[in-house]
Amino acid sequence: MRIAYVLLDPGIGVFGTKGASVHVQEVVRALRADGHDVTVFCTRLDGHVPADLADLDVRRHRLPRSSGAERERAVARAAAEIAAQIAAGGFDLVYERYSLFADTIALLARAVPEVSAILEVNAPLVEEQLRHRELADVDAATEATRRQLAAARLVSCVSEPVARWAREQGADPARVVVTPNGVNTARITPRTDIANDDGDGAGAGVTVGFVGTLKPWHGTDVLLRALARTDERLALDLCGAGPEQDNLERLAGELGIAGRVRLRGAVAPELVPEILRGFDIAVAPYPPGDHYFSPLKVYEYLAAGLPVVASAIGSLPELLGHGELGVLVEPGDVDALAEALGTLADDPVRRTELGHRAREAAVYEHDWRRRCRDLLARVDLPASADLLTGVRA
């Protein structure tokens, strides 16, 4: 079927390096892998085009260089113009990532009511924008959001807290589903020696890894403080860039662990699978607070067959099988995190066991193709010939 994928958030490039961009790419890959013809309509590209997406039909609507209210109005105009293009394009399905001021689905519902539409909601953006950034026209953002929620055939929310927010904003509860993030288990695979760890590596060096944007709510400062309370066998590999990078460099120096910390900066998504294969333990050290996310990094850790240490917050306890697939620690507890890292460093056999279970869960429960198939089935769309075939490791 012909699918129009719509991404009008000016902060997310289709071919960017941060998690949201990876999310976009993987959903597109999953749809294409099942034989669907995908066209992407967007406002931003960025420059890291993976080889397997080089032939993707991407139609960019350039926004003027502006900010504040002017930028908000530009996004709304872009939504109207893209809706007109989609209406004339003969698409079977519209899949839109919820963006502030974009009401493409609502406009299409009036122009081409027979076209099915899925609205993917990853965060309560109005509240998030007010808290962390700038929002000039709150009323217009709220109204566009409610129009989108009302018009979509299916509202796919990344977590139950986000689904609750969508229902509070007027979405029909019967149309709201929770679709956690997933992972491409064909692209992200374990290192080949994971099955051969014989338990003799307890005294060897251990690489603790983190992948993600370096922002305050990712708890990387807690991770550095925990590392400083472990022995020198443990080194930290931070893969990602962000506003906390300079602070983390300074903190590593103050803690006396600068030689044990590698800050890679921004990394192209196609390089991440190989980087993950260099980790021995992967960490998601979220601090206390509201946690409505479905952390993409943790699904990637699972697919890479890594033992995970994560904060017991939000959806993470359930995702990690309440300890079956990783180690859960109290959010923000430096001592607990340090102890968990040290214990796993001393026990390569347990690391291997956790890694095997993690990989199995990723393949059979969390693959992106399964996520997308489930969504398409819910809107009663025709399936490709192999839609019901199993996902292979």
Side-chain angles (χ1 to χ4, degrees):
M1 104 181 73
R2 295 194 66 215
I3 299 176
Y5 184 105
V6 182
L7 170 66
L8 300 190
D9 190 327
I12 303 173
V14 174
F15 300 123
T17 62
K18 61 185 181 181
S21 298
V22 173
H23 185 286
V24 171
Q25 294 169 30
E26 294 297 10
V27 170
V28 169
R29 282 192 180 101
L31 294 171
R32 285 175 23 128
D34 274 341
H36 302 297
D37 181 6
V38 181
T39 299
V40 174
F41 295 84
C42 67
T43 59
R44 178 173 171 179
L45 288 176
D46 290 349
H48 300 275
V49 183
D52 65 322
L53 296 179
D55 64 336
L56 180 65
D57 184 4
V58 181
R59 304 180 189 181
R60 181 186 180 188
H61 184 106
R62 292 181 179 273
L63 297 179
R65 291 185 177 276
S66 58
S67 60
E70 186 178 350
R71 172 57 65 91
E72 294 171 359
R73 289 191 293 269
V75 172
R77 289 194 299 270
E81 294 174 17
I82 287 173
Q85 293 176 28
I86 294 172
F91 291 94
D92 304 300
L93 171 72
V94 178
Y95 186 113
E96 182 168 6
R97 182 179 175 118
Y98 165 53
S99 306
L100 289 174
F101 302 98
D103 59 349
T104 314
I105 287 175
L107 294 168
L108 281 166
R110 295 197 294 268
V112 192
E114 65 272 17
V115 174
S116 295
I118 297 173
L119 181 66
E120 176 192 279
V121 184
N122 295 284
L125 288 183
V126 176
E127 287 83 349
E128 190 175 89
Q129 189 80 0
L130 284 169
R131 185 181 306 119
H132 298 295
R133 292 176 285 275
E134 176 187 359
L135 187 58
D137 194 337
V138 179
D139 290 342
T142 302
E143 290 167 7
T145 295
R146 290 176 175 168
R147 287 196 299 272
Q148 289 280 84
L149 292 170
R153 177 77 63 86
L154 197 67
V155 179
S156 174
C157 299
V158 77
S159 67
E160 179 52 40
V162 173
R164 183 166 57 250
W165 175 83
R167 292 190 291 266
E168 291 170 352
Q169 297 301 310
D172 181 350
R175 296 185 179 187
V176 175
V177 297
V178 174
T179 308
N181 277 330
V183 65
N184 185 331
T185 59
R187 191 175 71 87
I188 297 181
T189 57
R191 65 177 185 237
T192 55
D193 65 345
I194 189 170
N196 301 319
D197 194 332
D198 57 8
D200 293 336
V206 174
T207 299
V208 177
F210 170 91
V211 176
T213 307
L214 303 181
K215 294 183 176 178
W217 53 85
H218 284 165
T220 43
D221 61 322
V222 174
L223 179 53
L224 261 65
R225 295 182 191 282
L227 183 75
R229 300 184 189 184
T230 65
D231 65 62
E232 292 188 355
R233 285 176 303 150
L234 281 73
L236 177 60
D237 192 343
L238 291 169
C239 178
E244 287 294 289
Q245 185 162 340
D246 290 344
N247 292 336
L248 294 174
E249 289 177 351
R250 283 194 296 271
L251 180 59
E254 292 169 3
L255 294 170
I257 57 171
R260 296 166 59 195
V261 177
R262 179 180 185 180
L263 288 115
R264 290 177 180 263
V267 173
E270 60 264 32
L271 301 180
V272 169
E274 188 60 32
I275 291 172
L276 288 170
R277 294 184 195 109
F279 295 172
D280 297 299
I281 302 168
V283 189
Y286 292 97
D290 294 336
H291 195 278
Y292 49 80
F293 316 105
S294 176
L296 192 65
K297 64 172 64 61
V298 178
Y299 291 93
E300 294 182 338
Y301 296 161
L302 297 179
L306 290 167
V308 179
V309 178
S311 298
I313 193 170
S315 62
L316 287 176
E318 182 176 0
L319 174 57
L320 294 180
H322 300 281
E324 290 296 315
L325 306 181
V327 179
L328 294 161
V329 297
E330 191 68 23
D333 190 328
V334 175
D335 287 334
L337 181 54
E339 181 180 356
L341 294 175
T343 300
L344 281 179
D346 289 336
D347 195 344
V349 171
R350 187 181 182 211
R351 295 203 306 266
T352 300
E353 291 172 349
L354 288 172
H356 283 316
R357 291 200 291 266
R359 173 66 184 178
E360 186 174 75
V363 170
Y364 292 104
E365 299 177 33
H366 305 304
D367 191 275
W368 271 124
R369 291 179 72 180
R370 292 184 181 275
R371 296 282 195 258
C372 291
R373 290 168 180 175
D374 288 346
L375 282 177
L376 297 190
R378 287 177 179 272
V379 288
D380 299 322
L381 290 167
S384 64
D386 67 335
L387 192 61
L388 299 180
T389 61
V391 176
R392 296 292 184 258

